[in-house]
Amino acid sequence: MDRVRHPAALIRLAAGACWIALVLLLACYARSSALGLDSDVTRGVELLPWPPAKLTAALCGAALLTVPLGFAVDRVLRGDGRRVADAVLAAVLAYGLSLGLDLLAGDLTALTHPLPSGPGRTDPVYGHLAPVLAFMTALGTAGRRRWRTALAVTLGLSGLSGLVTGYATPLSLVLALLIGWTTAHAARYAVGEPVGEPTEGQIAAALAGTGIRPDAVLMLGSGRYLVTQHGNRPDLDVHLLDRYAQASGLLGHLWLALRLRTAPRPLGLRPLRDGLEHQTLLGHAASAAGARTRTPLAAVELGPDAALVAYRRIDARPFAELFEELPGPDGEADAGTADAGTAAAGTAAAGAADAGPTDAELRDAWQQLALLQRRRIAHRSLAPNTVLLDAEGQVHLVGLARGEIAASELLLRLDVAGLLAVLALYAGPARAVRAAIEVLGAGPVSAALPLLQPIALARRTRAALARHKELTAELRAEVQRRTPQATAVPVRLERLRPRTLLVVVACVVVGYALLQFSNPVDVIAAADPLWLAGAVLWAAVSYPVASFAFSGFVPEKLSFRSTLATQVAGSFVKVAAPGGVGGLALNTRYLQCAGIPTAQAMSSIGVSQLFGLLLHMLQLAVFSALVGVDAAEAGGGSSSPLAGGWVVWLAGAATAVIAVSVAAAPSLRRRAQTLLRPLRAEVLPRLLDLAQRPGRLATGVAGQLLVSMCFVLCLYCCTRAVGQHPGFNAVAMTFLAGNAMGNVVPLPGGAGGVEVLMPHLLELTGGIDLESAKDSVMLFRLLTFVLPVLPGWAAFTWLKRRGQV
């Protein structure tokens, strides 16, 4: 018997861990609310007409032992002993976790209250319930209504008994249930769930009960069987639905469902019976529409974890096996499909492998899709392996398990785009589009044009198109040529982009980092108003200085007002992009809209970044050396690795190691040459052009230096505002090192890295305590990262309205 790690268990594990963390946060930060809830529940249960406490506790304790024991005996008698062993492991883990939390959370008074019968307090986790729930959940109660009811009644009465007798609090009950449920899914994912392949006799017996007369059962592959019947009855294709089939590729389907608005619901999140009913219903609906597909003849459950669907067998083969794909960029067909075409050469339909599908076969494929669309049935999985061709030249559309009935117009258009892509792989864009227009008309084909996007296609179709990188563009061009009225503006199908997910992660990191600091309102209220005003002034001055620095590396004349607005808008853009990527993109777009060619705009940005990097490293080296001089003059002979110029030596050693490695390894050398080629081809000519305007170049260099000094002065004023007196050189080196870390961390604005690194640098080099350093950095980040977001958004909106970005 094999085991499968079902991703659904991992999802439930993550959800349970989040709920446990939420309950603990509630106990820590909402203590008064939790204590009030405990008091309200205690007063409420006193009004219940409850039997004597000892008798109730004894009955509930007996039920907590009897229900799981009886369920375990039942499962053992049914030959499910391995699941019982897994359930025992889950119960032991739940009990151990409950004891561990009792020790760690013993001082959280919101989870406990005084014992009713003596000194001391109750346990933070009402540990009687967690092992029982973990055992039953890991053993599996799905489809066993009586046992689920018995478990719910037992847990409910035991929890109520704990509240009445005073040995439990509401939060301790919730925490116990969450621990049991979460631990059960952790154990199920860690050890896997046993999945047994049904025997041929079991399959034959199950099908015989539906009126089918099986003669022989032959396994074709994973979860697929060929069943022959007595007499002249047709052969059957039998598909097995089990835990393994549900878990296969679930994480990928979950990510697609999270990212794509039109993604089908992952099969693994559906109960097995729902998936069985959905698959059977789609098959009957497609057959009733007149489309050629696999017709379901029987559906039968083998138990709570497996089911069978029997289809009338189709003597046909997929396009991926019958035909070779179009020649790739190198003029050769894909090797995998060539082999498949060779293997199929002995069949009647494989004789057309060299020429691809005929025009009649292409029209037949579109006619089958038209029949589905007339009944508003969406296929949703059109790919080279789901479009079949039989020996008589008839096309069959199979694989409707992820389809939908009463589909929206968008899903129907997606099917047209999917079939266009599939047929273009084997017949070329011209023939595929011509056949589509002949059958469907120009309207549906032109409506599918915006949906010819890789993300909208089935996975196998995307993989095939990846080998023919120009085919999608050629297909779009052919549709536009034959339907000039078609719009080429893509439809946005993504509900969540990876960039958005990165922003969410960054917000979580920033939120966690801010939780480590003091209350910003209290810090601002206690800050010295004069030094705080100075910090605000230097933070504001950095924007016009940055405008001069940016203009200095652009030979063309720019509007100072628009340039200043662009630098302010960068405060908003960098929230949605890691490091300085957002600012680079915004500045490049601004130069393009100002009429500067793209190559020259990117060259100016490259020159600016090159000078910025060199000046930053130079400043870091200078201030690192000055920190060492300050330490020596103070008579400390500091052993800090950040004093005495060690930063310079480490940076130089790292640079030397990288240079030697690149020079010694041919592959790294070629990679470095590729990266430096744009520097030679674009940046250096732009730099020579700037050299002929020394005034502008000097403005840019001075601006780069002054921008850094504005931020250093802002951080210095923040440290003085909280009552500390660090050295200016130490503050400067802290900012320069922290800013470099912020550009390395792949999160918007360097969130997380700056907040973690800067306070420790201030503590080591500035000689101030860590709490004051955290307060200083918090003020600095508020003034330079958080508060400028709103004016940055206003500046970005203003620039967009004027068409300058």
Side-chain angles (χ1 to χ4, degrees), residues 165-314:
T165 57
Y167 285 93
T169 64
L171 288 186
S172 69
L173 283 176
V174 173
L175 199 55
L177 296 175
L178 288 174
I179 289 174
W181 188 80
T182 305
T183 307
H185 291 294
R188 293 178 74 168
Y189 188 78
V191 302
E193 300 179 40
V195 177
E197 192 82 16
T199 64
E200 297 177 356
Q202 289 175 327
I203 294 175
L207 293 176
T210 64
I212 295 174
R213 301 175 59 190
D215 181 30
V217 178
L218 176 63
M219 185 174 183
L220 299 178
S222 178
R224 293 185 59 232
Y225 302 86
L226 171 63
V227 177
T228 59
Q229 298 190 77
H230 291 288
N232 296 324
R233 294 192 176 192
D235 296 341
L236 304 178
D237 273 325
V238 176
H239 290 202
L240 174 67
L241 303 179
D242 59 2
R243 291 284 184 181
Y244 183 82
Q246 285 188 303
S248 179
L250 179 59
L251 292 180
H253 292 306
L254 282 174
W255 167 242
L256 191 63
L258 182 66
R259 183 182 177 190
L260 194 62
R261 291 194 298 118
T262 57
R265 180 184 176 187
L267 297 178
L269 296 186
R270 291 174 174 167
L272 188 66
R273 184 170 184 83
D274 289 355
L276 175 66
E277 293 174 351
H278 182 80
Q279 188 168 337
T280 307
L281 177 62
L282 261 295
H284 283 300
S287 298
R292 287 191 290 272
T293 186
R294 292 194 179 106
T295 304
L297 297 181
V300 58
E301 285 187 325
L302 295 179
D305 297 327
L308 296 173
V309 182
Y311 296 95
R312 188 184 301 274
R313 182 170 177 76
I314 300 174

Side-chain angles (χ1 to χ4, degrees), residues 24-120:
L24 293 177
L25 287 175
L26 180 65
C28 292
Y29 297 102
R31 189 169 302 173
S32 58
S33 299
L35 293 175
L37 176 63
D38 184 25
S39 301
D40 293 341
V41 172
T42 302
R43 287 195 297 268
V45 296
E46 290 176 354
L47 303 177
L48 295 176
W50 196 252
K54 292 184 178 180
L55 176 60
T56 303
L59 291 176
C60 292
L64 284 175
L65 292 175
T66 304
V67 171
L69 182 60
F71 191 37
V73 172
D74 177 72
R75 300 317 304 162
V76 169
L77 294 177
R78 296 177 183 269
D80 214 357
R82 297 182 67 177
R83 282 185 180 270
V84 174
D86 297 342
V88 170
L89 173 63
V92 172
L93 291 177
Y95 185 70
L97 184 59
S98 300
L99 293 179
L101 280 180
D102 284 341
L103 296 176
L104 294 176
D107 57 345
L108 290 180
T109 56
L111 295 173
T112 63
H113 59 209
L115 285 170
S117 59

Side-chain angles (χ1 to χ4, degrees), residues 507-519:
C507 292
V508 173
V509 173
V510 172
Y512 176 77
L514 291 178
L515 285 177
Q516 311 307 310
F517 293 86
S518 304
N519 189 339

Side-chain angles (χ1 to χ4, degrees), residues 323-620:
F323 305 113
E324 293 184 1
E325 294 177 7
L326 294 177
D330 56 355
E332 296 180 0
D334 178 71
T337 53
D339 292 342
T342 302
T347 66
D354 295 334
T358 65
D359 290 341
E361 292 165 351
L362 295 176
R363 287 192 297 270
D364 189 43
W366 287 111
Q367 288 167 357
Q368 300 310 304
L369 183 64
L371 291 172
L372 293 178
Q373 301 222 330
R374 190 172 301 145
R375 297 291 182 90
R376 304 199 70 82
I377 300 173
H379 189 289
R380 313 207 66 180
S381 300
L382 288 169
N385 65 312
T386 60
V387 182
L388 277 57
L389 182 67
D390 62 22
E392 298 177 359
Q394 294 181 327
V395 174
H396 304 255
L397 302 181
V398 300
L400 282 158
R402 299 182 184 275
E404 286 193 20
I405 296 176
S408 65
E409 191 65 32
L410 180 59
L411 295 183
L412 299 180
R413 292 164 61 190
L414 282 171
D415 275 355
V416 176
L419 191 56
L420 273 174
V422 172
L423 298 182
L425 283 168
Y426 303 101
R431 295 178 60 205
V433 174
R434 183 175 68 246
I437 294 177
E438 290 176 358
V439 176
L440 301 179
V445 177
S446 63
L449 175 61
L451 301 173
L452 283 171
Q453 308 175 43
I455 192 174
L457 304 176
R459 181 176 59 85
R460 290 178 180 267
T461 306
R462 290 199 306 269
L465 288 176
R467 299 189 291 268
H468 307 276
K469 300 185 182 300
E470 303 298 327
L471 187 58
T472 303
E474 294 173 1
L475 185 57
R476 292 172 59 86
E478 182 64 23
V479 173
Q480 287 181 312
R481 187 181 70 82
R482 290 186 174 271
T483 58
Q485 75 278 12
T487 175
V489 179
V491 176
R492 181 175 177 180
L493 300 174
E494 293 176 290
R495 65 158 58 97
L496 175 67
R497 296 181 177 179
R499 181 180 64 185
T500 307
L501 184 61
L502 184 63
V503 172
V504 172
V505 173
C507 292
V508 173
V509 173
V510 172
Y512 176 77
L514 291 178
L515 285 177
Q516 311 307 310
F517 293 86
S518 304
N519 189 339
V521 177
D522 296 339
V523 175
I524 293 174
D528 187 302
L530 291 179
W531 284 108
L532 184 60
V536 173
L537 174 64
W538 287 115
V541 168
S542 65
Y543 292 102
V545 173
S547 301
F548 283 113
F550 178 73
S551 301
F553 293 101
V554 182
E556 293 79 7
K557 186 176 181 180
L558 299 174
S559 168
F560 178 76
R561 183 176 63 172
S562 299
T563 305
L564 177 60
T566 304
Q567 303 312 305
V568 176
S571 302
F572 168 70
V573 174
K574 70 181 180 181
V575 176
V581 175
L584 293 178
L586 179 66
N587 289 331
T588 303
R589 180 61 181 167
Y590 167 65
L591 294 180
Q592 290 174 333
C593 293
I596 300 175
T598 302
Q600 298 179 15
M602 297 184 67
S603 300
S604 296
I605 301 297
V607 172
S608 173
Q609 293 298 308
L610 178 62
F611 269 89
L613 176 62
L614 295 176
L615 293 173
H616 192 95
M617 297 303 297
L618 178 62
Q619 289 175 295
L620 182 59

